[in-house]
Amino acid sequence: MIKLYQHAGPKSFEVFRAAVFGLWFLNLVLTPLDTLAQLPPGIYNPIGIPFKFFHGLSLVMLNPAFLVFFKWSTTAIVFLAATGIFQRSSSLIGSVLITLEQALLRGFGNINHGELPLLYAAYVITVALFLIPKSKAPNPYQIPFVLFLMIFLFTYTLIGLHRIAFGGLEVFTTERITYWIAANTYDVSYYRFGWGQKVLESPLLNYLFVIGFPVITVFEILAPLALIYPLFRALFLLVIYPFHLMNFIFMDLLFLESMLLLILLFDISRWLEPKRLDSPSVIFYDGVCGLCDRFVQWMLKWDTSVVFAFAPLQGQTASAIPGFRPRNPSESTIIFYDAEHQKHYERSAAVVRILIGLGGLWRIAGVFLWLVPLPLRDLGYRWVAANRYRWFGKFEVCRLPTAQHVSRFLP
Amino acid sequence: MTRVISNKQLFGWVTALWVTALIPALTVRYVQWENVKAAFLEGSLILVAVLIYLGIRSVRMFVRQLPFAWLIFLAIFFPASIFSQVAEINEVVFPLTSWYMYAVTNKTQTLDFQEYQGLTASGQRVDLNPLRYFPLLQRSMLTFEMIYLGKAFKPKEEMPVSPSETAKSFKKRIAQKIRVFLADHPPVEQEERKRRLKQFFEVILHRYNQIHTSDPLRAVEIIQGTVDLDTLPRPLVTRQMVARYEVNSDGGLT
């Protein structure tokens, strides 16, 4: 079997979904879609079979008020899809709407092929959201990752094969790549770096491009092998990233989405899935504090992999651990006890460890929080801790866990 | 119990789906009078590549063990992708497309390009990069469209003959209509091209003057350039103004 993503689970799939729809969310926010209404309809060419047959439909959509409505309603739905709210319906409707948005943009000549794999990723995720709950496959979460990468990497193969079928060997034996560098240098482009001119004027750089061209083509054709062989995967990334960068610098062509999607070749599931230990780590919490109680309820909801156990700071488990003494009990709302290394973390360090332990998107949030200097995040922690009873209330006695979660609580 | 398809079934289905996609794709190319031989070669290379990848045990096992619903997804996506790749009718098949890059072997060693410049009220010459004024089209082939429209200013004998002028019989006219429907860039008459380009420059003019209110444009020029690649590493570049529009009193172009 394919080893890539064999440990994928709900957490890594959640990150995949959030990243793909999150990128679409950013794309939509940054796209001034309303300016399409200013372009002359004469240069608009309908894209996609529905618009080809019903040209009037696309012209209605090019109305300025409709474009503003369309942009922000699509953005809102894609935001829901990225955050996992009504995830099946928001992903399905979101995928349809971004397809329509892309069709409108392409009607004015926009032909960013980099956006298409991102669109396919949205389709695969949407299909997976419907199929995974019913799946009887040994690891249903591996399928969307591998299937998407197969489709994405095969697009490179198609590029390479098309070049051979239509260009023949002539495309490599003559200096055709020089022609393309010149075309991209002199044509109107958004970036206009002008670095292609340097290649045209330097015989050495030109020569490097000419000999690099067939090498790139070989890697393009063999791209799907990156799914299977780790050594080829490393080589492929070492070749294809500089190729995309050179396209950007010397040809003014940016394939940003493709470059971001190639990150998927680093099996992110290995890092994102929570690690279950024989003896779970313990979160000690202030049993009478309203904030801590809510935090524990929140943890029970998100810790679906059952990585953590819970115990009140005032209980027997806390007093039984040797050397376990909070530095400042009045500030101790939660303390994280790492059972594997027998170490405990207080204040914001505990929050960071807990978030990282949860895996998925929370792990990424934990890493971002960890990047904040400790004194600064501890300052925020202390402020909340000092006001916790006033803001969130105080119980007279520790609340008892419900029957459903009783096994996760220690005395 | 998950149903697992056999190797024989897998290779049989892949070949059948390939045939199902390739025949209509080649028909489309034939109708468009395009390079059917190269398209057939491309289709064959795709099949060979797919069969080689499926020859790798881990890939084959992965596909064979896919749940039925995912196999249906692949059975739609795979032939649709092959059809899109070979037929090369990107505007019709969207959101699929034909994937190609740096594949055309242009025989000529001269390269045509266009530049768009404006003259402001104070007499300054400014670069009018349309993609800067419409950033949402920044990674666009809009420039290709503009170059196509701009070629309308070339002498008549250099213009490609409009297919509608050559299509005489009823049968040919029907074939022509299909061709125009399928074509990514349906051919446009010379005068219509000029009109569209002028419309586009009026929009750019409007955008430019919105931003630069103190020194608005009074004229817009289309510069046709040529690069002689035989003169590398010191490329010989020639530029010639082919059209000039003056801003009229209504704020439009004349």
Side-chain angles (χ1 to χ4, degrees), chain A residues 252-279:
Chain A
D252 292 353
L253 295 171
L254 177 61
F255 290 90
L256 181 65
E257 295 83 356
S258 299
M259 289 169 82
L260 290 172
L261 286 168
L262 281 171
I263 293 172
L264 285 172
L265 280 174
F266 299 94
D267 189 344
I268 54 166
S269 68
R270 285 166 185 261
W271 183 73
L272 289 168
E273 291 302 325
K275 194 165 64 172
R276 284 192 68 174
L277 301 168
D278 293 336
S279 52

Side-chain angles (χ1 to χ4, degrees), chain A residues 1-2 150 224-225 227-228, chain B residues 10 50 52-65:
Chain A
M1 279 297 283
I2 292 173
M150 266 184 184
L225 297 183
L227 262 177
I228 308 144
Chain B
L10 176 65
V50 171
I52 288 173
Y53 295 134
L54 286 176
I56 300 167
R57 192 172 178 275
S58 53
V59 178
R60 194 170 62 245
M61 291 307 288
F62 176 83
V63 178
R64 280 179 56 194
Q65 289 178 1

Side-chain angles (χ1 to χ4, degrees), chain A residues 78-130:
Chain A
V78 167
F79 178 77
L80 293 181
T83 47
I85 301 169
F86 307 121
Q87 53 180 359
R88 282 199 213 172
S89 38
S90 58
S91 302
L92 181 65
I93 300 168
S95 298
V96 173
L97 291 177
I98 51 180
T99 308
L100 280 177
E101 189 250 8
Q102 285 292 303
L104 280 179
L105 276 180
R106 280 154 207 270
F108 286 102
N110 194 52
I111 190 166
N112 176 11
H113 272 23
E115 276 168 347
L116 289 178
L118 198 61
L119 197 58
Y120 303 159
Y123 297 161
V124 170
I125 288 167
T126 304
V127 174
L129 283 169
F130 283 90

Side-chain angles (χ1 to χ4, degrees), chain A residues 38 45 48 109-112 120 147 162-163 170 176 179 188-192 221 228 247 257, chain B residues 42 53 59 70 88 91 95 100-102 106-107 109 127 129 132 138-139 141 143 184 196 203 207:
Chain A
Q38 296 173 16
N45 202 16
N110 194 52
I111 190 166
N112 176 11
Y120 303 159
L147 215 56
H162 184 95
R163 193 173 295 142
E170 196 188 340
R176 282 299 95 195
Y179 178 87
V188 175
S189 79
Y190 181 77
Y191 301 102
R192 277 209 169 160
I221 293 170
I228 308 144
N247 259 309
E257 295 83 356
Chain B
E42 183 184 26
Y53 295 134
V59 178
W70 280 113
E88 226 179 281
E91 292 183 356
Y100 54 86
M101 200 176 187
Y102 312 135
N106 199 330
K107 302 283 180 199
Q109 276 299 92
D127 178 33
N129 182 346
R132 283 275 167 198
Q138 63 181 267
R139 280 171 281 178
M141 299 293 262
T143 49
D184 273 357
R196 286 185 188 181
V203 172
R207 292 280 287 177

